[in-house]
Amino acid sequence: MPVRNGKIRIGFLPAHRGFFSPELASSMRAETIRALEHHGVEVVVPSPEQTKVGCVENRREAELCAELFRQHRVQGIVVGAVNFGDEQSVAWTIRLAQLDVPILIFGCQEEEILRPGLARRDSFCGLLSIGEALRQIGARYSVGQRPICFPRDQSFAQDLDWFLRVCRVVQGIRQARYGQVGTRPDAFWTCRFDEKRLQRLGPTTVVLDLSELIAGAEKMSDTDPMVRAIGIQLRQYADSSAISESAILRSAKLEAFLRRWVEENGLDALAIQCWTSIQHNYGVCTCATMSRLGDEGIPCACEADILGTLSMHACWLASGSPAALADWNNLHNQDDELVNLWHCGVFPKAFAKTQPRYGRHEIMVSSGGAPEELALGTVEFVAKPGPVTLCRVNLEAEGPFKAVLAEGQIEDNPAQTFGAYGWCRIPGLQRLYRDVLLRHFPHHVAMTQGQVGNVLWEALGNYLGMQVFHAGQETPGLYTPRLPFGG
């Protein structure tokens, strides 16, 4: 799973109860460490020299383990009941560490059929006590699809992959820095947001006036090495035969300035005032730049939609694949489960079925909003078939953050339009659409390739405290780990 933030650091707490076999506890400790490292995890765990067989079974060892996790600033914690486990030691470790990171609990399976005299684990019972102890101290935790297993099992590998993605989303959102370039277009009330409440959730908004972007891009030299390199890359990124060389040069300067601004400010994603001021005052669409940045894992939302940026960033962190921001554009006239996910021409190339081409902003030109020579640089293509996950985070004047999720399938369809788009089949689309309307979500939705609905459900609902909705849920608006999602 490619991510910008590199290797993830996980604290492993092997929970042991003294009158169970230390040899069996040690073997499951070692097997869990191997499983974690196989997933590319940097494991932080007490050593056999620090605690009895490297496990945790009393208050002193809990204090040591908590300090270890805190020193290494782990991004998630895996609690493994290597036997029944000591629930108080687990609770003390979590409480003393004070890290507020995602926690996965699991228990280790028995080696053989039970019989008198067999060394046993009883983790099936002990894990219930661990969960109850964590609830009593107010700690949120996650449970995989198969809570009792061997770390070598495929089910554990799948649950671990899911949990690591959850950790990335939670950490990434809490530490995020989003660049807001310009203001939302006046007509787009749907792109309003509360910056102070967003800061409470985690993300910091870094602002840049659109005039500064335009002035900075205008000052870039034609011979600047970065501008020249980007110009070459732009020609390779999409078919440029339909747009002018001046549009390519302007796009290259715009991208060079934004890349430097992103680097200087340590930004994770952007929201850009993409029309119509930039066309009239600079002379090109921002679409090519936004598409290319998104392709590299720096999501870019249209119309200065910061909550759209958050939705895209969450998708990217969950999947490790580029994210796009689409309009819920058009319901197929013959199919109630088929929706056109569309935007003017800003989707990352990773979504394309064939080589994209640069074009003009069709809506702007046809409506008289800007002449064609000033509205070039959209990235047009049809999306390739495959599974996708959709996500939209929103915030009203009162109440918590909330998110709507869906998993669907992009499929080929003869219906055509301009810009970048894909026809997406979503089971239960009509019910989902009613939720979007009645639960007050706007017309923008983030999209990423693959099925990671369960990751986003857990990260946004359990750890970031959002109300989460999806088309088939039994209890609207309430977090529950039971989902029909495949991811």
Side-chain angles (χ1 to χ4, degrees):
M1 179 174 62
V3 293
R4 294 176 68 212
N5 297 329
K7 207 169 191 179
I8 193 165
R9 187 179 302 113
I10 294 293
F12 173 41
L13 195 168
H16 173 48
R17 182 155 289 197
F19 53 79
F20 287 88
S21 165
E23 291 77 19
L24 285 180
S26 178
S27 69
M28 285 297 97
R29 172 190 178 276
E31 188 172 307
T32 305
I33 292 172
R34 287 194 297 272
L36 288 163
E37 290 177 341
H38 181 74
H39 270 75
V41 169
E42 180 183 338
V43 184
V44 177
V45 60
S47 70
E49 291 72 38
Q50 292 173 308
T51 65
K52 183 178 179 181
V53 297
C55 295
V56 178
E57 63 170 304
N58 55 48
R59 182 183 173 90
R60 183 194 66 80
E61 293 177 344
E63 291 171 348
L64 184 149
C65 187
E67 180 61 24
L68 196 64
F69 290 173
R70 194 164 53 249
Q71 284 180 355
H72 290 273
R73 300 181 64 83
V74 299
Q75 298 153 278
I77 295 171
V78 172
V79 176
V82 292
N83 46 46
F84 191 98
D86 182 78
E87 67 269 19
Q88 289 191 35
S89 299
V90 173
W92 276 115
T93 301
I94 301 303
R95 187 172 182 179
L96 294 173
Q98 296 182 326
L99 291 172
D100 192 23
V101 295
I103 300 166
L104 175 68
I105 64 172
F106 81 98
C108 295
Q109 179 62 285
E110 302 291 350
E111 298 288 341
E112 302 177 41
I113 296 174
L114 289 184
R115 64 177 186 275
L118 177 73
R120 53 198 282 174
R121 293 196 170 97
D122 288 2
S123 63
F124 189 83
C125 185
L127 196 64
L128 297 173
S129 297
I130 289 171
E132 175 61 21
L134 290 176
R135 287 194 296 274
Q136 289 185 17
I137 65 168
R140 292 163 293 188
Y141 59 87
S142 299
V143 180
Q145 294 298 303
R146 188 171 176 81
I148 305 299
C149 60
F150 289 112
R152 59 182 175 270
D153 290 347
Q154 182 62 28
S155 64
F156 183 77
Q158 292 170 349
D159 286 340
L160 184 57
D161 177 76
W162 166 73
F163 178 69
L164 295 178
R165 292 172 188 269
V166 170
C167 290
R168 292 190 193 281
V169 174
V170 173
Q171 185 207 33
I173 296 298
R174 284 177 173 167
Q175 298 180 0
R177 291 171 60 80
Y178 299 148
Q180 181 184 343
V181 182
T183 63
R184 61 170 178 80
D186 181 61
F188 283 74
W189 282 19
T190 52
C191 297
R192 286 172 163 177
F193 80 105
D194 187 328
E195 189 174 340
K196 291 180 180 179
R197 292 183 67 188
L198 183 66
Q199 182 75 78
R200 287 286 182 92
L201 181 70
T204 298
T205 307
V206 182
V207 298
L208 180 73
D209 191 86
L210 192 63
S211 65
E212 296 179 70
L213 170 62
I214 293 170
E218 289 280 13
K219 290 177 183 176
M220 300 286 293
S221 169
D222 294 8
T223 59
D224 184 300
M226 188 174 185
V227 171
R228 295 179 66 178
I230 292 172
I232 294 171
Q233 293 163 11
L234 280 164
R235 293 178 183 89
Q236 296 170 343
Y237 189 73
D239 178 358
S240 60
S241 59
I243 66 171
S244 64
E245 281 299 308
S246 63
I248 292 287
L249 180 59
R250 285 189 176 278
S251 293
K253 290 181 176 181
L254 187 79
E255 182 175 327
F257 180 86
L258 275 177
R259 283 183 180 275
R260 287 173 179 168
W261 187 64
V262 167
E263 184 66 28
E264 289 168 2
N265 290 277
L267 304 179
D268 298 287
L270 299 174
I272 298 176
Q273 182 185 345
C274 56
W275 68 326
T276 59
S277 177
I278 191 77
Q279 286 79 20
H280 285 287
N281 295 297
Y282 183 65
V284 77
C285 290
T286 59
C287 301
T289 293
M290 296 168 71
S291 174
R292 279 171 41 79
L293 289 174
D295 221 40
E296 297 174 19
I298 306 172
C300 297
C302 303
E303 289 130 14
D305 181 3
I306 282 287
L307 294 184
T309 301
L310 168 60
S311 307
M312 297 171 75
H313 188 215
C315 283
W316 153 248
L317 291 165
S319 68
S321 296
L325 191 68
D327 283 357
W328 292 103
N329 181 249
N330 194 280
L331 179 68
H332 197 282
N333 69 313
Q334 297 176 337
D335 194 328
D336 276 356
E337 292 195 333
L338 199 57
V339 60
N340 186 243
L341 298 173
W342 170 94
H343 234 148
C344 316
V346 71
F347 290 179
K349 185 179 179 177
F351 285 91
K353 182 168 65 173
T354 57
Q355 175 74 346
R357 63 181 182 87
Y358 297 123
R360 66 179 194 172
H361 196 297
E362 194 66 37
I363 293 176
M364 203 176 300
V365 174
S366 62
S367 67
E372 179 172 328
E373 63 270 18
L374 301 182
L376 300 173
T378 57
V379 181
E380 301 195 344
F381 59 79
V382 179
K384 61 187 174 185
V388 292
T389 301
L390 309 178
C391 171
R392 176 66 202 198
V393 174
N394 203 27
L395 179 64
E396 295 186 83
E398 297 178 358
F401 278 88
K402 55 188 178 180
V404 64
L405 301 174
E407 288 183 345
Q409 187 85 12
I410 299 291
E411 58 183 50
D412 289 326
N413 192 280
Q416 298 179 10
T417 186
F418 56 90
Y421 65 93
W423 286 98
C424 184
R425 182 167 300 283
I426 301 175
L429 175 60
Q430 295 304 309
R431 179 173 174 177
L432 176 69
Y433 186 65
R434 292 187 76 252
D435 255 2
V436 169
L437 285 169
L438 294 172
R439 307 294 180 182
H440 309 157
F441 291 97
H443 70 297
H444 281 168
V445 64
M447 172 174 63
T448 190
Q449 295 172 95
Q451 293 191 335
V452 288
N454 264 341
V455 175
L456 293 167
W457 181 267
E458 186 79 4
L460 302 179
N462 191 9
Y463 293 107
L464 294 176
M466 298 184 189
Q467 289 187 337
V468 187
F469 303 88
H470 72 88
Q473 71 192 83
E474 298 171 7
T475 311
L478 296 179
Y479 169 77
T480 170
R482 292 182 292 120
L483 278 182
F485 293 135

